[in-house]
Coordinates of all heavy atoms in Angstrom, one line a residue:
D1 N 0.8 -1.2 0.0 CA 0.0 0.0 0.0 C 0.9 1.3 0.0 O 0.5 2.3 -0.6 CB -0.9 0.0 1.2 CG -2.0 -1.1 1.1 OD1 -2.2 -1.5 0.0 OD2 -2.6 -1.4 2.2
E2 N 2.0 1.2 0.7 CA 2.9 2.4 0.8 C 3.8 2.5 -0.4 O 4.4 3.5 -0.6 CB 3.7 2.4 2.1 CG 2.9 2.6 3.3 CD 3.8 2.6 4.6 OE1 5.0 2.4 4.4 OE2 3.3 2.8 5.7
F3 N 4.0 1.4 -1.1 CA 5.0 1.3 -2.2 C 5.0 2.4 -3.2 O 6.0 2.9 -3.6 CB 4.9 -0.1 -2.8 CG 6.2 -0.4 -3.6 CD1 7.3 -1.0 -3.0 CD2 6.3 -0.2 -5.0 CE1 8.4 -1.3 -3.7 CE2 7.4 -0.5 -5.7 CZ 8.5 -1.1 -5.0
P4 N 3.8 2.9 -3.7 CA 3.7 3.9 -4.7 C 4.4 5.2 -4.3 O 4.8 6.0 -5.1 CB 2.3 4.0 -5.0 CG 1.6 2.8 -4.6 CD 2.4 2.3 -3.4
S5 N 4.5 5.5 -3.0 CA 5.1 6.7 -2.5 C 6.6 6.7 -2.4 O 7.2 7.7 -2.1 CB 4.4 7.1 -1.2 OG 4.9 6.1 -0.2
Y6 N 7.2 5.6 -2.7 CA 8.7 5.5 -2.6 C 9.3 6.2 -3.8 O 8.8 6.0 -4.9 CB 9.1 4.0 -2.5 CG 8.7 3.4 -1.2 CD1 8.8 2.0 -1.0 CD2 8.0 4.1 -0.2 CE1 8.4 1.4 0.1 CE2 7.6 3.4 0.9 CZ 7.7 2.1 1.1 OH 7.3 1.5 2.3
G7 N 10.4 6.8 -3.6 CA 11.1 7.6 -4.7 C 12.0 6.8 -5.5 O 13.2 7.0 -5.5
F8 N 11.5 5.8 -6.3 CA 12.4 5.1 -7.2 C 12.8 5.8 -8.4 O 12.1 6.7 -8.9 CB 11.6 3.8 -7.7 CG 11.6 2.7 -6.7 CD1 10.6 2.6 -5.8 CD2 12.7 1.7 -6.7 CE1 10.6 1.5 -4.8 CE2 12.6 0.7 -5.8 CZ 11.6 0.6 -4.9
E9 N 14.0 5.6 -8.8 CA 14.5 6.2 -10.1 C 13.8 5.5 -11.3 O 13.7 4.3 -11.3 CB 16.0 6.1 -10.3 CG 16.7 7.0 -9.2 CD 18.2 7.0 -9.5 OE1 18.7 6.2 -10.4 OE2 18.9 7.6 -8.8
E10 N 13.4 6.2 -12.2 CA 12.6 5.6 -13.4 C 13.7 5.0 -14.4 O 14.7 5.6 -14.7 CB 11.8 6.7 -14.0 CG 10.6 7.2 -13.2 CD 9.7 6.1 -12.8 OE1 9.6 5.1 -13.6 OE2 9.2 6.1 -11.7
K11 N 13.3 3.9 -14.9 CA 14.1 3.2 -15.9 C 13.7 3.7 -17.2 O 12.5 3.5 -17.6 CB 14.0 1.7 -15.8 CG 14.9 1.0 -16.7 CD 14.7 -0.6 -16.5 CE 15.6 -1.3 -17.5 NZ 15.5 -2.8 -17.3
P12 N 14.6 4.2 -18.1 CA 14.2 4.8 -19.4 C 13.6 3.7 -20.3 O 14.0 2.5 -20.2 CB 15.5 5.4 -20.0 CG 16.4 5.5 -18.8 CD 16.0 4.5 -17.8
S13 N 12.7 4.1 -21.1 CA 12.1 3.1 -22.1 C 13.1 2.8 -23.2 O 13.9 3.7 -23.6 CB 10.8 3.7 -22.7 OG 10.3 2.8 -23.7
N14 N 13.0 1.6 -23.7 CA 14.0 1.2 -24.8 C 13.4 1.3 -26.2 O 13.9 0.8 -27.2 CB 14.4 -0.2 -24.6 CG 15.3 -0.4 -23.4 OD1 16.0 0.5 -23.0 ND2 15.1 -1.5 -22.6
E15 N 12.2 2.0 -26.3 CA 11.5 2.1 -27.6 C 12.4 3.0 -28.6 O 12.3 2.7 -29.8 CB 10.2 2.7 -27.4 CG 9.2 1.8 -26.7 CD 7.8 2.4 -26.6 OE1 7.6 3.4 -27.2 OE2 7.0 1.8 -25.9
E16 N 13.1 3.9 -28.1 CA 13.8 4.9 -29.0 C 15.3 4.9 -28.6 O 15.6 5.2 -27.4 CB 13.3 6.3 -28.9 CG 14.0 7.2 -29.8 CD 13.5 8.6 -29.7 OE1 12.3 8.8 -29.9 OE2 14.2 9.5 -29.4
E17 N 16.1 4.4 -29.4 CA 17.6 4.4 -29.2 C 18.1 5.8 -29.4 O 17.6 6.6 -30.2 CB 18.3 3.5 -30.2 CG 17.9 2.0 -29.9 CD 18.4 1.5 -28.6 OE1 19.3 2.0 -28.1 OE2 17.7 0.5 -28.1
P18 N 19.2 6.2 -28.8 CA 19.8 7.5 -29.0 C 20.2 7.7 -30.5 O 20.7 6.8 -31.1 CB 21.0 7.5 -28.1 CG 20.7 6.5 -27.0 CD 19.8 5.5 -27.7
L19 N 20.0 8.9 -31.0 CA 20.2 9.2 -32.4 C 21.7 9.0 -32.7 O 22.1 8.6 -33.8 CB 19.7 10.5 -32.8 CG 18.3 10.8 -32.7 CD1 17.9 12.2 -33.0 CD2 17.6 9.8 -33.7
E20 N 22.6 9.3 -31.7 CA 24.0 9.2 -32.0 C 24.4 7.8 -32.3 O 25.2 7.5 -33.1 CB 24.8 9.7 -30.8 CG 24.8 11.2 -30.6 CD 23.5 11.6 -29.8 OE1 22.7 10.7 -29.5 OE2 23.2 12.8 -29.6
E21 N 23.8 6.8 -31.5 CA 24.1 5.4 -31.7 C 23.6 4.9 -33.1 O 24.3 4.1 -33.8 CB 23.5 4.5 -30.7 CG 24.1 4.8 -29.3 CD 23.5 3.9 -28.3 OE1 22.7 3.0 -28.7 OE2 23.8 4.1 -27.1
E22 N 22.4 5.5 -33.6 CA 21.9 5.1 -34.9 C 22.9 5.6 -35.9 O 23.3 4.8 -36.9 CB 20.6 5.7 -35.1 CG 19.5 5.1 -34.2 CD 18.2 5.8 -34.5 OE1 18.1 6.7 -35.4 OE2 17.2 5.5 -33.8
G23 N 23.4 6.8 -35.8 CA 24.4 7.3 -36.8 C 25.6 6.5 -36.8 O 26.2 6.2 -37.9
S24 N 26.1 6.2 -35.6 CA 27.4 5.4 -35.6 C 27.3 4.1 -36.2 O 28.2 3.6 -36.8 CB 27.9 5.3 -34.1 OG 26.9 4.6 -33.3
N25 N 26.1 3.4 -36.0 CA 25.8 2.1 -36.6 C 25.8 2.2 -38.1 O 26.3 1.4 -38.9 CB 24.5 1.5 -36.1 CG 24.6 1.1 -34.7 OD1 25.7 0.9 -34.2 ND2 23.5 1.0 -34.0
Q26 N 25.2 3.3 -38.7 CA 25.2 3.6 -40.1 C 26.6 3.7 -40.7 O 26.9 3.1 -41.7 CB 24.3 4.8 -40.4 CG 22.8 4.6 -40.1 CD 22.1 5.9 -40.3 OE1 22.7 6.9 -40.6 NE2 20.8 5.8 -40.1
I27 N 27.4 4.5 -40.0 CA 28.8 4.7 -40.5 C 29.5 3.4 -40.5 O 30.3 3.1 -41.4 CB 29.5 5.7 -39.6 CG1 28.9 7.1 -39.8 CG2 31.0 5.8 -39.9 CD1 29.4 8.2 -38.9
F28 N 29.3 2.6 -39.4 CA 30.0 1.3 -39.3 C 29.6 0.4 -40.5 O 30.5 -0.3 -41.1 CB 29.7 0.6 -38.0 CG 30.3 -0.8 -37.9 CD1 31.6 -1.0 -37.7 CD2 29.5 -1.9 -38.1 CE1 32.2 -2.2 -37.6 CE2 30.0 -3.1 -38.0 CZ 31.4 -3.3 -37.7
M29 N 28.3 0.4 -40.8 CA 27.9 -0.5 -41.9 C 28.4 0.0 -43.3 O 28.8 -0.8 -44.1 CB 26.4 -0.5 -42.0 CG 25.7 -1.2 -40.8 SD 23.9 -1.0 -40.7 CE 23.5 -1.8 -42.3
I30 N 28.5 1.4 -43.4 CA 29.1 1.9 -44.7 C 30.5 1.5 -44.8 O 31.0 1.1 -45.9 CB 28.9 3.4 -44.7 CG1 27.4 3.8 -44.7 CG2 29.6 4.1 -45.9 CD1 27.2 5.3 -44.4
E31 N 31.3 1.7 -43.8 CA 32.7 1.4 -43.8 C 33.0 -0.1 -44.1 O 33.9 -0.4 -44.7 CB 33.4 1.9 -42.5 CG 33.5 3.4 -42.4 CD 34.1 3.8 -41.1 OE1 34.3 2.9 -40.2 OE2 34.3 5.0 -40.9
E32 N 32.1 -0.9 -43.6 CA 32.3 -2.4 -43.7 C 31.9 -2.8 -45.1 O 32.6 -3.7 -45.6 CB 31.5 -3.1 -42.6 CG 31.7 -4.6 -42.6 CD 30.9 -5.3 -41.6 OE1 29.7 -4.9 -41.4 OE2 31.4 -6.1 -40.9
S33 N 30.9 -2.2 -45.7 CA 30.4 -2.7 -47.0 C 31.1 -2.1 -48.2 O 30.9 -2.5 -49.3 CB 28.9 -2.5 -47.1 OG 28.6 -1.1 -46.9
H34 N 31.8 -1.0 -47.9 CA 32.5 -0.2 -49.0 C 34.0 -0.1 -48.7 O 34.5 1.0 -48.6 CB 31.9 1.1 -49.2 CG 30.3 1.0 -49.5 ND1 29.8 0.6 -50.7 CD2 29.3 1.3 -48.7 CE1 28.5 0.6 -50.7 NE2 28.1 1.0 -49.5
M35 N 34.6 -1.2 -48.6 CA 36.0 -1.1 -48.3 C 36.8 -0.7 -49.5 O 38.0 -0.3 -49.4 CB 36.5 -2.5 -47.9 CG 35.9 -3.0 -46.5 SD 36.4 -1.9 -45.2 CE 38.1 -2.4 -45.1
D36 N 36.2 -0.8 -50.7 CA 37.0 -0.4 -51.9 C 36.9 1.0 -52.2 O 37.5 1.5 -53.2 CB 36.3 -1.2 -53.2 CG 34.9 -0.9 -53.3 OD1 34.3 -0.2 -52.4 OD2 34.3 -1.3 -54.3
G37 N 36.3 1.9 -51.3 CA 36.3 3.3 -51.5 C 35.2 3.8 -52.4 O 35.3 5.0 -52.7
S38 N 34.2 3.0 -52.8 CA 33.2 3.5 -53.7 C 31.9 3.2 -53.1 O 31.7 2.4 -52.2 CB 33.3 2.8 -55.1 OG 33.1 1.4 -54.9
T39 N 30.8 3.9 -53.6 CA 29.4 3.7 -53.1 C 28.6 3.0 -54.2 O 29.1 2.7 -55.3 CB 28.8 5.0 -52.8 OG1 28.7 5.8 -54.0 CG2 29.6 5.7 -51.7
T40 N 27.4 2.6 -53.9 CA 26.5 1.9 -54.9 C 26.2 2.8 -56.1 O 26.0 2.2 -57.2 CB 25.2 1.5 -54.2 OG1 24.6 2.7 -53.7 CG2 25.5 0.5 -53.1
D41 N 26.2 4.1 -56.0 CA 25.9 4.9 -57.2 C 27.2 5.4 -57.9 O 27.2 6.3 -58.7 CB 25.1 6.1 -56.8 CG 25.8 7.0 -55.7 OD1 26.9 6.6 -55.3 OD2 25.2 8.0 -55.3
G42 N 28.4 4.8 -57.5 CA 29.6 5.2 -58.1 C 30.3 6.3 -57.6 O 31.5 6.6 -58.0

């Protein structure tokens, strides 16, 4: 009954990842798939 009044720290939701991490994952995929120095459009 008293539990709701306790000051717990809230755990963030995992629905949205930080944008910085998304960008870093994109860069990693680009560097891995285009080791020859070119892109799909030349």
Side-chain angles (χ1 to χ4, degrees):
D1 292 342
E2 291 184 358
F3 196 83
S5 64
Y6 297 170
F8 280 89
E9 293 184 0
E10 295 299 329
K11 184 178 180 180
S13 174
N14 292 325
E15 292 183 8
E16 179 180 305
E17 297 292 336
L19 294 176
E20 291 80 2
E21 293 184 8
E22 291 180 2
S24 61
N25 289 339
Q26 292 172 358
I27 292 175
F28 175 75
M29 293 173 62
I30 294 167
E31 291 177 350
E32 187 179 41
S33 58
H34 302 287
M35 296 295 291
D36 57 351
S38 63
T39 62
T40 55
D41 58 358

